[in-house]
Amino acid sequence: MELTLNNYFVYLSKLDRLWQKKTELSCYAVFLVLIIFWCRIKWNRRFIDRFAAKLPGPQSYPLIGSGLEFTGTLQQIMEKLIQLTEKFGSEPFKVWLGSSLAVILSNPEDLEIIFNSSKAFEKDQIYNFLIDILGEGLGTAPVNKWKQHRKIITPIFNTSFINQLLPIFNKKTSIFIRNLQKELGKTETFDIFDYIISSSIDTICETSMGYNCNTLSDDKYVFSNAIKDGTKVICSRMCKPWLYPNFIFNIYAKITGWHQIHKKCHELPDQIIKKKKIEYIQRKTFENKTVKNETKRLKVFLDILLELNDQGANFSDKDLKDQVLTMMTAGSETSALTISFCILMLAIHQDIQDKVYNEIYEVMGNGDQTLTIEDTVKFVYLEQCIKETIRLYPIFPIILRRAQENIKITNHIIPKGTTIVIPSIGTHHLSEFYPKPWEFNPENFDPENVAKRHKYSFIGFSGGPRNCIGMKYAMLSMKVTLSTFLRNYSVHTGCKMSDIKLKFEVLMKSVYGYPVTIRPRVRTPSYQLKLKKKNL
């Protein structure tokens, strides 16, 4: 019995040693695999690492990269971005987004190369975070899809099409002016953005989708608030590399109510598309009987897309929805923010407001005649004010591309796979192009001054083949809104330039809104008013 037990313990001892050896060998094998895997990653990234070593940039750490630089409030994130662009100026610098390298380019010569290089047409992977809200519209689609859809959609946005939308712009702006009357006589400031965003959504729905939102005010505010909440969540993810993995973000999404936000973002577009498709089918069914009325009917963006689909454009229901979402978001909030910033600038700078009004008066006089396309062309100084607003406060403070191949810029070769960050907020404030870059000076866009600068020193509508398709639409709508507003009201504020604080919510916004007061406009040129007061 004793011998048997000894044999048993010897057997267990041998088994234990064998198990230890196997475990040890397994650990060595795992360690070896990790070493090989790490070496392979380093080999594949050797060009990126060499390139990164040549560039200055903020401190980075394993796994999170430079993520600690962009923690804090949305205002602090924006301030940090501005600080970095001011520190490095027009020189390229690096930021690590987790383990991914991003090179930040502000030099217009570099931007011209990037914007026009087919090797950099691809939007960065971070734009995938926007797809849940915007879908794969022109702003977020991968290159192959973007090329196909851009080729189809670009002809729609011709001058003739945009000009025919002027009656809608005039109608919606008139409603906006009437709604503002409730603010007359008040000494307390109000946020002009609240009125403008409502008007912008009404306008974009009717001009792009032929859909009147006036009777759906609850729906449009639900949509607007959902987009606002959604961009906050996306912004948090963009600035925190640890939220990049989907399985981590899914936990974060449950905490933030992301799925409910997503649902609300899609309800109104779904409603619009469903209604328009029914109308389109009905028109096709009876087109022979209604041909005379059909020629008089205004065809808007979605109408033309549905017609092109019948002709073989092959837009799926999802494609239609993606383009609608892109138009509704890019065509409403971006213009509304720029108009709000511009009105605030004119309220702060009364002398510039007077000059703008004098131009409007010279074109329109003191009557109530309807604004025409010819009138808008004559608003040269107003356009300078709009562009200066976009320069000072670019709504898209950063644009992200991805290098699909090695790209040679002025002093470097950007390796394939590098994220390219183009901070318009940085380029627009380079002192070599804009003396006193944080002052509001419409003379920056006087033709003589524009001719002296590099073409890509102003990138308010992006640049190159993948620029903003709706810039002519945006400029016309902003001219109509601002000129009509200034014909009817003078705008005032106690706010100073130093009081304006900015925040990053994918779009750039004012932390404290756009506080102004309004007074009825005396339709007399400001120089005549000043002369009259002087004589009195």
Side-chain angles (χ1 to χ4, degrees):
M1 182 71 179
E2 187 176 331
L3 184 61
T4 306
L5 282 173
N6 285 336
N7 290 339
Y8 177 69
F9 284 124
V10 169
Y11 173 75
L12 285 180
S13 179
K14 289 181 178 179
L15 191 64
D16 184 54
R17 286 197 298 272
L18 182 62
W19 175 255
Q20 287 179 1
K21 287 182 180 180
K22 285 186 176 180
T23 303
E24 188 176 345
L25 286 172
S26 297
C27 288
Y28 283 138
V30 170
F31 184 70
L32 182 62
V33 168
L34 289 175
I35 291 293
I36 293 171
F37 183 67
W38 180 82
C39 289
R40 184 178 179 183
I41 290 175
K42 293 298 288 183
W43 177 256
N44 291 337
R45 290 170 53 90
R46 64 193 186 281
F47 298 116
I48 290 179
D49 290 339
R50 288 175 194 168
F51 174 61
K54 299 175 184 176
L55 299 177
Q59 183 68 44
S60 65
Y61 302 92
L63 298 179
I64 63 171
S66 308
L68 294 180
E69 293 286 332
F70 300 100
T71 56
T73 65
L74 298 175
Q75 178 183 344
Q76 289 169 333
I77 291 169
M78 192 69 244
E79 287 172 351
K80 189 60 182 181
L81 177 61
I82 292 172
Q83 287 171 11
L84 286 172
T85 56
E86 288 182 340
K87 177 180 179 180
F88 294 102
S90 59
E91 292 300 312
F93 66 96
K94 68 185 174 189
V95 169
W96 286 98
L97 305 173
S99 60
S100 298
L101 175 66
V103 57
I104 290 77
L105 303 177
S106 297
N107 188 337
E109 292 181 9
D110 292 335
L111 302 191
E112 183 173 18
I113 294 169
I114 296 301
F115 279 131
N116 292 284
S117 173
S118 60
K119 300 173 183 177
F121 283 169
E122 191 73 76
K123 294 294 182 79
D124 188 70
Q125 293 173 345
I126 289 178
Y127 279 82
N128 292 339
F129 303 157
L130 289 166
I131 288 176
D132 274 347
I133 287 186
L134 300 182
E136 292 184 339
L138 290 180
T140 55
V143 169
N144 290 339
K145 192 171 189 178
W146 164 76
K147 284 182 178 178
Q148 177 189 358
H149 289 181
R150 177 84 183 215
K151 186 176 180 180
I152 295 169
I153 294 173
T154 295
I156 298 176
F157 283 86
N158 58 63
T159 303
S160 176
F161 170 75
I162 293 170
N163 288 352
Q164 71 165 346
L165 302 176
L166 183 63
I168 299 176
F169 291 148
N170 281 328
K171 179 179 70 173
K172 297 299 182 181
T173 304
S174 295
I175 296 170
F176 162 64
I177 296 302
R178 286 202 303 271
N179 290 340
L180 280 173
Q181 288 177 354
K182 66 184 74 171
E183 301 294 343
L184 286 172
K186 294 182 180 180
T187 55
E188 291 186 5
T189 60
F190 67 97
D191 192 342
I192 192 75
F193 178 78
D194 295 335
Y195 289 92
I196 295 171
I197 187 61
S198 174
S199 177
S200 291
I201 293 176
D202 285 352
T203 303
I204 197 67
C205 283
E206 189 157 345
T207 56
S208 298
M209 271 58 81
Y211 199 72
N212 194 332
C213 284
N214 286 340
T215 57
L216 296 168
S217 57
D218 289 342
D219 287 348
K220 76 180 179 186
Y221 286 121
V222 167
F223 172 79
S224 176
N225 290 332
I227 292 294
K228 182 179 178 180
D229 294 338
T231 52
K232 285 182 181 178
V233 176
I234 291 167
C235 181
S236 293
R237 191 178 188 188
M238 290 174 70
C239 297
K240 298 177 175 64
W242 50 90
L243 291 178
Y244 288 6
N246 288 331
F247 75 93
I248 296 178
F249 178 73
N250 288 338
I251 298 171
Y252 181 75
K254 290 181 180 179
I255 298 171
T256 56
W258 171 254
H259 300 295
Q260 190 63 26
I261 293 171
H262 178 271
K263 180 182 176 183
K264 290 177 180 178
C265 287
H266 288 252
E267 283 177 350
L268 184 57
D270 283 338
Q271 185 177 351
I272 291 174
I273 292 171
K274 183 179 179 181
K275 183 175 186 293
K276 293 300 292 183
K277 287 182 79 173
I278 292 171
E279 288 179 358
Y280 181 72
I281 292 170
Q282 290 174 343
R283 284 201 307 274
K284 278 192 65 179
T285 304
F286 300 102
E287 62 184 357
N288 291 332
K289 298 179 181 179
T290 60
V291 66
K292 290 184 180 179
N293 292 330
E294 190 69 18
T295 56
K296 296 178 182 179
R297 191 182 64 83
L298 175 66
K299 289 184 181 179
V300 295
F301 177 68
L302 187 54
D303 292 325
I304 298 172
L305 281 188
L306 291 171
E307 287 182 3
L308 291 172
N309 228 18
D310 260 3
Q311 298 166 14
N314 294 322
F315 282 105
S316 65
D317 286 346
K318 182 181 180 303
D319 291 336
L320 290 172
K321 182 177 178 179
D322 290 349
Q323 300 304 338
V324 167
L325 275 166
T326 299
M327 289 294 294
M328 289 183 69
T329 51
S332 59
E333 192 165 17
T334 54
S335 292
L337 287 167
T338 299
I339 292 169
S340 299
F341 270 120
C342 190
I343 287 175
L344 185 58
M345 290 299 98
L346 296 176
I348 294 172
H349 303 86
Q350 288 291 314
D351 55 334
I352 296 176
Q353 183 183 164
D354 288 343
K355 191 171 179 180
V356 174
Y357 177 71
N358 289 342
E359 178 183 72
I360 295 168
Y361 184 88
E362 288 174 7
V363 174
M364 304 294 295
N366 59 4
D368 291 315
Q369 66 268 36
T370 303
L371 194 66
T372 66
I373 291 295
E374 291 72 21
D375 295 329
T376 64
V377 173
K378 297 173 185 176
F379 295 150
V380 176
Y381 190 68
L382 174 58
E383 184 170 325
Q384 288 179 212
C385 290
I386 294 170
K387 287 182 177 178
E388 175 67 356
T389 300
I390 297 171
R391 180 199 69 81
L392 197 56
Y393 303 112
I395 302 307
F396 288 99
I398 59 171
I399 301 166
L400 293 96
R401 299 286 180 89
R402 191 154 186 94
Q404 297 302 103
E405 299 291 341
N406 293 350
I407 304 173
K408 188 180 186 310
I409 56 174
T410 49
N411 296 314
H412 297 279
I413 296 177
I414 300 175
K416 175 182 177 181
T418 303
T419 295
I420 301 168
V421 180
I422 299 169
S424 52
I425 188 72
T427 301
H428 286 184
H429 292 84
L430 291 172
S431 57
E432 54 261 48
F433 298 107
Y434 302 100
K436 300 181 180 179
W438 285 99
E439 290 186 6
F440 181 73
N441 178 20
E443 299 301 326
N444 281 324
F445 289 90
D446 180 273
E448 290 184 7
N449 290 327
V450 172
K452 296 174 185 176
R453 291 194 303 267
H454 193 286
K455 178 182 178 182
Y456 285 84
S457 62
F458 177 71
I459 50 172
F461 296 99
S462 189
R466 200 159 187 178
N467 64 352
C468 175
I469 197 172
M471 55 184 158
K472 289 182 180 178
Y473 172 100
M475 189 57 71
L476 179 60
S477 68
M478 289 189 286
K479 277 187 173 183
V480 172
T481 300
L482 286 165
S483 63
T484 307
F485 171 79
L486 292 170
R487 283 179 74 195
N488 287 274
Y489 304 114
S490 62
V491 59
H492 309 268
T493 187
C495 180
K496 300 181 180 64
M497 293 294 286
S498 58
D499 296 329
I500 299 173
K501 306 300 178 185
L502 304 171
K503 61 181 177 179
F504 180 64
E505 290 183 4
V506 180
L507 303 179
M508 191 173 74
K509 302 177 182 179
S510 169
V511 172
Y512 305 116
Y514 312 86
V516 298
T517 60
I518 57 172
R519 301 172 194 166
R521 172 71 69 181
V522 178
R523 291 193 179 178
T524 304
S526 60
Y527 55 81
Q528 287 187 13
L529 282 176
K530 289 175 182 177
L531 182 63
K532 185 177 180 181
K533 288 178 182 178
K534 186 177 180 180
N535 291 335
L536 290 174

